Amino acid sequence: MQYDIIIRRKNIKRLNMRIRDGIVYVSAPFFTSDSLINNFINKNKEWIEKNIQKMSNETNFRDYSVKNNSPIYILGYKYEIEINNAKEDKVYIGYDKLYINTTNNNDIYNGKLVVKYLYSLAEDIFKESIDKYLKITGKSLNSLKIKQVESYNGKCFTKRKEIVLNLNIIHEDISYIEAISMHEIAHLEYPNHQKEFYDYIEKYMPDYNDRMKRKR
């Protein structure tokens, strides 16, 4: 398992460790030797990996780095990333920029801040989209989950009435997100992709095929 370790020497009496956003922070007294720090890390390797895996399962976040001035799409709109040093972490959208106020210059650390922001945004947008078409179709759902995956945009577990949407579709236009939502809701009625399945979608979303073409 790969993970970042940041070592900070401080005016403290003993070594200690914490994990934040998938990064291991080791605090050590000023004159602690490198070998003693490495032994401390190796001694706690099992604890580190167990907790990083637990955090990964809970958040479904995938590590990626972000660079200053690089582009990012949110709901179909293109923004430029601006990274600023700050006393506390905060990510927010301006007119044409995504601002990252960060306490850490690590690219992966800042990437995690962005993913968390996108996740919080997706929770609202995806729920609103799903609720909209549940109401239109008269269907009900037990659970909506958001995961960051590469293999699918959405998935419906018909028997347990659960829908999973891919976090990555937050980059797309809202019309595309709604099309994915409608697609998965249709699976509550038709588990497979037979003709009736697509007829059902067209009944409630006549422009479904056009919406699906709007993916970047």
Side-chain angles (χ1 to χ4, degrees):
M1 178 183 292
Q2 293 184 341
Y3 46 85
D4 291 330
I5 299 176
I6 295 177
I7 299 171
R8 294 170 172 169
R9 284 179 164 80
K10 299 180 177 181
N11 186 22
I12 55 178
K13 293 182 178 180
R14 60 179 64 88
L15 285 159
N16 62 73
M17 177 186 299
R18 66 187 177 92
I19 300 174
R20 181 183 176 190
D21 298 321
I23 298 175
V24 181
Y25 293 88
V26 178
S27 297
F30 282 120
F31 301 106
T32 308
S33 66
D34 290 341
S35 60
L36 191 61
I37 293 174
N38 289 333
N39 287 337
F40 177 70
I41 294 170
N42 290 332
K43 183 179 177 180
N44 290 279
K45 186 176 180 180
E46 183 176 344
W47 178 85
I48 292 170
E49 293 184 352
K50 179 181 178 180
N51 281 276
I52 287 180
Q53 184 62 52
K54 180 181 178 181
M55 291 176 185
S56 175
N57 290 340
E58 287 175 350
T59 62
N60 299 305
F61 295 158
R62 181 164 301 175
D63 291 353
Y64 73 98
S65 62
V66 293
K67 303 288 186 181
N68 207 24
N69 301 319
S70 59
I72 184 171
Y73 284 85
I74 301 175
L75 296 177
Y77 295 97
K78 183 179 180 181
Y79 297 90
E80 183 180 276
I81 290 174
E82 181 174 312
I83 301 174
N84 299 299
N85 293 325
K87 293 183 179 180
E88 61 180 7
D89 297 328
K90 183 179 181 180
V91 179
Y92 61 98
I93 289 178
Y95 175 69
D96 58 356
K97 289 187 178 183
L98 178 72
Y99 294 97
I100 306 173
N101 290 348
T102 178
T103 58
N104 193 319
N105 286 323
N106 182 282
D107 291 342
I108 292 180
Y109 178 90
N110 293 330
K112 288 177 181 291
L113 293 181
V114 172
V115 173
K116 283 190 173 184
Y117 173 77
L118 295 178
Y119 192 91
S120 64
L121 186 64
E123 283 185 316
D124 292 334
I125 298 296
F126 292 1
K127 185 178 185 303
E128 184 178 340
S129 177
I130 288 290
D131 287 348
K132 176 180 177 179
Y133 287 94
L134 285 175
K135 184 176 181 180
I136 290 173
T137 58
K139 295 294 179 182
S140 62
L141 197 65
N142 290 331
S143 175
L144 169 64
K145 294 183 178 179
I146 301 170
K147 293 184 178 182
Q148 191 179 16
V149 296
E150 299 295 336
S151 55
Y152 59 84
N153 288 322
K155 184 176 289 188
C156 179
F157 298 91
T158 306
K159 290 184 179 180
R160 61 176 186 255
K161 299 175 73 173
E162 176 182 290
I163 287 177
V164 178
L165 294 181
N166 185 353
L167 173 63
N168 293 330
I169 64 173
I170 196 64
H171 299 297
E172 308 298 337
D173 185 87
I174 187 63
S175 62
Y176 181 84
I177 294 172
E178 289 188 346
I180 297 299
S181 299
M182 183 64 234
H183 183 106
E184 300 311 323
I185 288 171
H187 277 307
L188 295 171
E189 182 74 17
Y190 298 99
N192 301 311
H193 292 102
Q194 63 264 52
K195 181 180 181 300
E196 290 82 1
F197 169 81
Y198 289 104
D199 289 343
Y200 183 86
I201 291 177
E202 188 175 354
K203 175 183 177 181
Y204 297 103
M205 186 180 282
D207 60 343
Y208 170 79
N209 289 328
D210 290 335
R211 289 172 180 250
M212 291 298 290
K213 293 175 184 177
R214 294 173 192 171
K215 189 178 188 302
R216 287 180 303 104

